[in-house]
Amino acid sequence: MLLHIDSIQTYYGSIQALKGISFTVDQGEIVTLIGANGAGKTTTLHTLSGILHPRHGSIFFEGQPIHTMPPHAVVRLGIAHSPEGRRVFGRLTVAENLDMGAFVRRDKAAIKQDLDRVYTLFPRLKERQKQLAGTLSGGEQQMLAMGRALMASPRLLLLDEPSMGLAPILVDLIFETILEINKQGVTVLLVEQNALMALSIASRAYVLETGSIILSGTGKELLNNPDVMKAYLGME
Amino acid sequence: MAVLRPAGEFDQSYAYDMATMRRRWQWLALAGFLALLYALPAYGSPSLVSFVNRAAMIIIAVQGLNILTGYTGQISLGQAAFMITGGYIAVLLVTRLDWNFFLALPVAAIGAGLVGLFFGLPSLRVKGFYLAMSTLAAQFIIPWFLRNAFPEVLNGAQGLNAPPPELFGVVFNQPGRFLYISLTVLIVTTVVAHNIGRSRLGRAFVAIRDQDLAAELLGINPFKYKLQAFFLAAVYAGLSGALFAFHLRHVNSETFSLNDSVILLGMLIAGGLGASVGPILGAVLIQGILELATMAGPAVSPFLPSAAAGAVQALRPLFFGVVLMVFLIFEPRGLAHRWSLIKAAWRLRPFSH
C-alpha cells in the first residue's frame, strides 16, 4: 500500500470540511476522487500534501506518518501536487517553471533526464521553452503544471482538476497523458469534476459528498452505477 | 542583460543565455564607465561628487529593499530603521572598540541583518498590507530605543559622531576620497544582488511572490526564504546606513526616518520592482529630482515672498509625489521595464513590436 488515509477530519477554523475520510492508493494505480463543488476533494489533496493538517486521523505514505509534516517535507518524500487552477509562475519561462519543479533535487543528471521525459510527454512545452508561462494558453498551462510536478520525480502524483476550463480536445489529450504517466510507473491520485473521463481511466474511484465518502469501487463499476450516472454523469 | 544586443545574435548555449555580459565590448564599456566614475573627483564639481556619493549609498539601500519587496513581494516600511541600526553599530564598533571602519562595516551590516530578521518574524503570519504595518513597528521601536536606552553608550537624542575611515594611513575625510569606498561597496552589492536574482535563492523568492501555494507545493519553505529576504534586505540597509554615518560623520535616531523608508520604496517602484537595474535607475532618478527640488527652492522664493520658507520645504515632497504618481500611471513597471523594451526593440529591429 503506497498511501493509506485513515479517517481524517480537516477543519477550516470551526467549519468541518472532511468528516472522517478513509481510503487507500496502491502502487501503480490511478485512483480518482469525484464529487460536486464543495465536497472536499481539494481539501483532501491539501491535507495530503501538508498545506492543511487534519485535526483527527492519520495519513501514511509507504508506512510513514505524514499528517503533521509541512508541504516542503512531503515533497521530498515523493509526493508531488499539481494544484487546482494550475498556478504556474507567469513571469518565469516554461523552462524556468520546470526547473522550479525540481527545486528539492540536487541530482543534475537525473533532473536532465526528467526534463527530457516531460518534453517527450508534452512536445508543446518543448516548443515553448523560452516563452513566459503567463502567455501560454490554458491547456498549455495545465501541461506545464503537470510537467512541473513531474520534475520532482514523484512516486505519487496528486492532480487537482486537470481538465478545468479546457476545450474537449485538450481534455482528451490531458487524460491520455495521465495514462501515459501512469504507465511510466507513477501512481496517480486524480481529483475531478469531469466524472466520466476520470472514471474511464481510473483503476478505482471514490465518490465524495459534503466531506464523506459515500461510494467506492472500480472505475467501471461506478460508471455503471445508476446513482453515479444520475448524479455525476447527467444520465438517467 | 543590461546592455543592448544587436539583432541576429542568438543564445546558442545555456551559459550564453544566462550570461550577463556576452561580448567583450560590453566589458570594455562597463570598465570605461566605472573608470569615469572613479576619476570623478579629478574633473567633477564637488556637488557632483557629493551627489554620486549619496546616490551610491542610497542605491545600496534600495537594492536591499528590492530583494525583499521586489523579488519576494514582502512590503517593508522599515528599511530606514535598519539603516540607522547599521550606522549605530558601525560607529560604536569604531569609537568604542577601536575597530577599523573596514572591519566594522561588514559586522554592522550583519548586525542590522539580524535586527531585520527579528522584525521579519511577523511574515510567518501576516501578508501584504498587514505586514507593511508590522514592519512599520521597526520604524518606531528602533529610533525610540536608540534615543532612550543606554544613554551613556548611545548618547540619547544627540547621537554619535564618527571619525573618518582610515586604511593603511589614508584618511577618507573628504567626499572625493569617500567616493572610492561608496563606489566599491556599491559594485560588490550590485554583483551580489544581481546574482541573487538569477540564483536558486532568487527563484525561490520570486516563486513565493507570484504563487505562494505552488511554491510551497514544490518544496519551498516560505517562512525560511521570507526570513532570508528580510535578513538580506537589512544587511543592505545596514551597509548603506554605516556608509552614511561615516560620510556624514554622525548618526542619530532621526538620521533616517519613516519619510526615507517611503522614499526608498518610491525609488524602487520608479526603477522597477524585481529587476537588478531597477534600484540604480530609480535611486538616481528620484534622488536627482529631490535635489533639483532643493536647488529650485531659492529660485522660486522671490515669487512667493510671504511663504518662501514653506514653499522651499514643500517642493521636495511635491516633486516626489508627482513623479511617483506619474510612474504609477504611465510606467507602473518602472524604468527597468522601459529599458528592457528598448533593448528588445533594438534586438528585433526592424520588426520590433
Side-chain angles (χ1 to χ4, degrees):
Chain A
M1 205 180 315
L2 188 67
L3 183 73
H4 175 69
I5 293 168
D6 186 16
S7 51
I8 49 168
Q9 301 184 29
T10 302
Y11 289 74
Y12 291 105
S14 61
I15 296 162
Q16 186 170 16
L18 299 183
K19 299 171 179 161
I21 286 182
S22 303
F23 65 90
T24 58
V25 179
D26 286 326
Q27 178 72 42
E29 280 189 308
I30 297 180
V31 173
T32 181
L33 300 177
I34 59 172
N37 271 342
K41 305 183 301 289
T42 296
T43 306
T44 306
L45 289 196
H46 280 190
T47 310
L48 278 175
S49 53
I51 297 280
L52 296 168
H53 295 289
R55 199 173 287 180
H56 305 288
S58 34
I59 304 169
F60 297 93
F61 181 64
E62 298 180 320
Q64 188 181 354
I66 61 166
H67 47 273
T68 55
M69 286 186 179
H72 52 92
V74 173
V75 186
R76 286 186 164 80
L77 294 178
I79 301 181
H81 182 160
S82 162
E84 186 179 9
R86 326 196 230 280
R87 307 240 180 198
V88 297
F89 302 112
R91 282 187 269 182
L92 298 183
T93 64
V94 168
E96 286 168 341
N97 266 276
L98 292 174
D99 245 15
M100 291 300 297
F103 190 82
V104 296
R105 301 169 63 192
R106 304 278 182 171
D107 43 342
K108 286 224 167 109
I111 291 174
K112 179 77 182 65
Q113 261 181 8
D114 279 329
L115 186 65
D116 291 339
R117 179 169 74 134
V118 168
Y119 283 148
T120 318
L121 279 169
F122 302 107
R124 189 78 72 88
L125 294 183
K126 185 162 191 179
E127 288 165 26
R128 300 186 180 262
Q129 275 181 70
K130 289 195 145 197
Q131 195 171 324
L132 292 184
T135 64
L136 297 177
S137 74
E140 289 161 351
Q141 289 194 9
Q142 182 57 48
M143 296 175 194
L144 181 57
M146 287 167 64
R148 186 178 63 182
L150 284 176
M151 288 302 290
S153 187
R155 269 163 297 158
L156 175 62
L157 178 64
L158 311 178
L159 294 174
D160 198 346
E161 303 263 3
S163 76
M164 191 168 73
L166 299 187
I169 185 162
L170 281 171
V171 174
D172 290 346
L173 176 69
I174 292 289
F175 276 91
E176 276 165 31
T177 314
I178 295 171
L179 275 174
E180 178 61 32
I181 291 168
N182 181 247
K183 263 188 215 135
Q184 294 179 1
V186 181
T187 310
V188 176
L189 177 57
L190 170 69
V191 153
E192 259 300 339
Q193 285 201 37
N194 187 337
L196 181 62
M197 287 300 280
L199 290 176
S200 56
I201 66 163
S203 15
R204 286 184 308 113
Y206 295 89
V207 180
L208 246 92
E209 205 171 279
T210 57
S212 310
I213 288 174
I214 54 160
L215 210 59
S216 66
T218 65
K220 272 217 184 81
E221 279 166 19
L222 290 189
L223 266 180
N224 297 317
N225 179 307
D227 291 336
V228 172
M229 283 172 80
K230 201 171 157 194
Y232 300 103
L233 303 176
M235 295 185 260
E236 287 295 328
Chain B
M1 292 290 294
V3 187
L4 291 172
R5 299 173 66 195
E9 187 186 307
F10 297 103
D11 302 323
Q12 293 178 351
S13 71
Y14 184 68
Y16 200 74
D17 183 28
M18 289 300 290
T20 303
M21 300 288 193
R22 295 184 177 81
R23 292 287 182 90
R24 203 166 58 139
W25 66 264
Q26 296 176 330
W27 283 109
L28 291 176
L30 179 68
F33 177 66
L34 289 177
L36 277 179
L37 273 183
Y38 271 95
L40 192 66
Y43 62 87
S45 69
S47 63
L48 184 62
V49 171
S50 292
F51 174 76
V52 175
N53 247 325
R54 276 193 300 277
M57 294 184 281
I58 292 168
I59 290 169
I60 296 169
V62 182
Q63 283 173 332
L65 199 59
N66 192 29
I67 294 173
L68 182 60
T69 305
Y71 288 112
T72 322
Q74 312 293 305
I75 298 170
S76 166
L77 289 173
Q79 193 73 344
F82 306 130
M83 289 170 74
I84 307 183
T85 309
Y88 265 84
I89 296 175
V91 173
L92 284 174
L93 288 173
V94 170
T95 56
R96 291 270 163 173
L97 302 180
D98 267 339
W99 284 29
N100 185 292
F101 167 78
F102 294 93
L103 187 61
L105 184 66
V107 175
I110 289 168
L114 294 175
V115 174
L117 189 79
F118 174 76
F119 282 97
L121 288 173
S123 66
L124 172 65
R125 287 278 170 189
V126 295
K127 289 179 184 174
F129 184 67
Y130 301 96
L131 181 64
M133 288 294 111
S134 72
T135 58
L136 198 56
Q139 201 66 62
F140 288 97
I141 293 170
I142 291 174
W144 179 88
F145 178 87
L146 294 171
R147 241 185 342 266
N148 296 302
F150 309 110
E152 63 288 350
V153 181
L154 300 175
N155 206 19
Q158 266 138 40
L160 305 168
N161 290 326
E166 208 184 315
L167 188 69
F168 306 127
V170 182
V171 182
F172 296 85
N173 56 356
Q174 314 151 8
R177 290 189 184 165
F178 199 85
L179 187 71
Y180 301 126
I181 303 178
S182 52
L183 282 180
T184 308
V185 176
L186 175 61
I187 290 170
V188 174
T189 59
T190 305
V191 171
V192 172
H194 181 64
N195 282 305
I196 286 175
R198 318 188 299 157
S199 68
R200 175 185 160 84
L201 185 66
R203 291 266 181 83
F205 288 160
V206 169
I208 290 169
R209 177 192 69 193
D210 288 346
Q211 291 286 357
D212 52 355
L213 178 77
E216 267 193 276
L217 292 175
L218 297 179
I220 294 166
N221 178 350
F223 188 47
K224 178 178 138 194
Y225 284 98
K226 281 182 193 174
L227 284 186
Q228 286 185 5
F230 268 99
F231 175 75
L232 286 168
V235 164
Y236 272 67
L239 276 176
S240 169
L243 288 172
F244 260 114
F246 281 81
H247 179 62
L248 304 167
R249 303 275 193 79
H250 176 79
V251 62
N252 65 44
S253 60
E254 282 161 9
T255 304
F256 306 105
S257 61
L258 175 60
N259 196 23
D260 295 295
S261 279
V262 174
I263 290 176
L264 292 174
L265 209 52
M267 288 170 167
L268 182 57
I269 292 168
L273 291 149
S276 59
V277 287
I280 300 175
L281 298 176
V284 171
L285 176 83
I286 300 278
Q287 187 62 18
I289 286 170
L290 288 178
E291 302 204 358
L292 226 64
T294 314
M295 285 195 280
V300 175
S301 52
F303 303 102
L304 298 158
S306 59
V312 172
Q313 286 267 313
L315 276 181
R316 278 173 73 101
L318 210 65
F319 272 44
F320 176 69
V322 168
V323 170
L324 200 59
M325 275 195 283
V326 167
F327 266 96
L328 288 175
I329 295 166
F330 295 106
E331 195 75 294
R333 295 173 69 184
L335 290 171
H337 179 61
R338 178 60 46 188
W339 176 232
S340 67
L341 292 182
I342 293 170
K343 280 192 299 180
W346 171 256
R347 210 168 133 59
L348 301 173
R349 92 202 124 79
F351 302 114
S352 62
H353 43 73

